[in-house]
Amino acid sequence: MSHDLSLAQKHAWRLARTLMTPVVLFQSDDAYGVLPADEVEESEVNILFEYDPYTGGHAVH
């Protein structure tokens, strides 16, 4: 978890490209985290961005 959004975004994009699978950047309380998209339950966290290694990143909201 990170408290810096720009740092979390960079790590999310790098993780998506490394794993070659979509990942999401989410906010939980005052911290940001990154998980593979298929492992996130939307009701538990606030998803901010989705990063796809083939199409790039985009804001969810």
Side-chain angles (χ1 to χ4, degrees):
M1 299 286 274
S2 174
H3 294 284
D4 181 356
L5 179 58
S6 63
L7 180 63
Q9 288 175 307
K10 290 176 187 177
H11 286 297
W13 178 237
R14 182 169 288 142
L15 184 62
R17 289 184 16 212
T18 300
L19 297 176
M20 295 307 290
T21 189
V23 300
V24 294
L25 173 64
F26 63 90
Q27 184 174 13
S28 179
D29 296 325
D30 63 340
Y32 302 100
V34 179
L35 283 172
D38 61 351
E39 294 184 18
V40 176
E41 301 263 344
E42 289 186 38
S43 61
E44 295 179 6
V45 295
N46 182 22
I47 297 175
L48 303 175
F49 295 92
E50 182 175 52
Y51 295 90
D52 186 307
Y54 301 104
T55 60
H58 67 276
V60 174
H61 296 267

